[in-house]
Amino acid sequence: AHKHHSSKLGSKSALEFVSSQNKDIGALVIPKLGDYRRYGIQPLRMAYEETGPRSGSLGLYTIKGGHFDGEIRFSVERQSNKDEEETVVISVALVIPKKGRKLKNSMSVVTALVTSIQQSAMLEAQKRQARLNQSTGFRNRTGLEALRKRKVRLESTEQMEAMDKDRRRRWQRSNPDAGHYRPSGRRMQSPNNC
């Protein structure tokens, strides 16, 4: 049984990328590319993957059994401008050899890929921010709750100690023999042994 990951690429175009458990192989499902204007499946294999602190790139090439020949190159780069605002530059290049099989709607495929990467990046950023906000809020709430419980415990302990001191003081004031009472030996005997 093969596990696969699929993700919709673009909202209008129903372009889809499917990858197998082996991350080097995947397929691009493109509408109107197959026979009788149905979906066409383009198998792909990873050529290279490069990641850096502010950029990343990926190259996929077509393998036998597809509808066109060539290579798809993706690159994503974070750039800072003069106002220290960060922007993300996404580029997708579709390279087809001169004597290779051409893709009829290549511009729409490239546009759909760029849109998909943009949506995926935005969604991941929103998820990361939501998790960060949630964990920060949770930490703040639990910290405040723990502080409140410690304060309540301290106040109740102080009240109990004050009540105990007051009770001892009143008992000692009303009982002149307080703290010195020792039962006599007679009282310690059982009533049955009289």
Side-chain angles (χ1 to χ4, degrees):
H2 287 284
K3 292 183 179 179
H4 71 278
H5 168 73
S6 68
S7 61
K8 293 280 184 187
L9 302 178
S11 55
K12 295 180 180 176
S13 71
L15 191 66
E16 190 171 350
F17 180 76
V18 181
S19 64
S20 68
Q21 203 170 13
N22 178 1
K23 294 188 178 194
D24 290 347
I25 299 173
L28 200 58
V29 181
I30 306 171
K32 300 178 184 175
L33 184 66
D35 298 334
Y36 306 109
R37 311 271 299 153
R38 294 183 181 162
Y39 284 93
I41 298 174
Q42 179 62 51
L44 301 168
R45 183 178 294 265
M46 185 167 56
Y48 63 90
E49 181 178 18
E50 298 172 358
T51 56
R54 299 189 57 82
S55 64
S57 60
L58 173 71
L60 302 170
Y61 63 89
T62 59
I63 53 180
K64 190 175 181 180
H67 295 274
F68 67 94
D69 298 325
E71 184 176 334
I72 302 173
R73 298 175 185 161
F74 303 96
S75 70
V76 178
E77 185 178 356
R78 288 190 315 187
Q79 295 179 346
S80 300
N81 59 11
K82 294 176 184 174
D83 300 331
E84 295 186 18
E85 292 181 5
E86 286 204 357
T87 58
V88 177
V89 178
I90 301 169
S91 62
V92 176
L94 177 62
V95 181
I96 298 176
K98 285 184 180 178
K99 294 186 180 181
R101 292 174 294 163
K102 309 275 188 273
L103 183 62
K104 291 178 186 174
N105 53 350
S106 61
M107 280 306 289
S108 64
V109 170
V110 170
T111 305
L113 287 170
V114 169
T115 304
S116 168
I117 293 169
Q118 177 189 8
Q119 289 174 348
S120 296
M122 289 295 290
L123 187 64
E124 284 300 315
Q126 288 171 353
K127 283 181 185 177
R128 188 177 303 120
Q129 188 63 40
R131 280 193 298 267
L132 181 66
N133 290 345
Q134 189 175 21
S135 67
T136 304
F138 179 74
R139 259 185 274 134
N140 289 343
R141 279 193 308 272
T142 54
L144 291 174
E145 183 66 21
L147 185 66
R148 187 189 65 77
K149 284 184 178 180
R150 282 194 298 268
K151 186 175 179 182
V152 166
R153 194 176 319 134
L154 178 69
E155 287 174 355
S156 66
T157 305
E158 287 175 350
Q159 281 180 344
M160 289 178 69
E161 287 174 355
M163 287 169 47
D164 185 42
K165 285 179 184 176
D166 188 47
R167 190 178 308 121
R168 190 173 294 132
R169 185 179 50 80
R170 278 188 281 139
W171 179 65
Q172 287 177 346
R173 191 178 339 134
S174 64
N175 185 1
D177 209 17
H180 304 289
Y181 174 72
R182 296 269 190 273
S184 66
R186 280 199 155 306
R187 289 192 184 154
M188 295 297 286
Q189 289 180 351
S190 169
N192 297 333
N193 295 335
C194 295

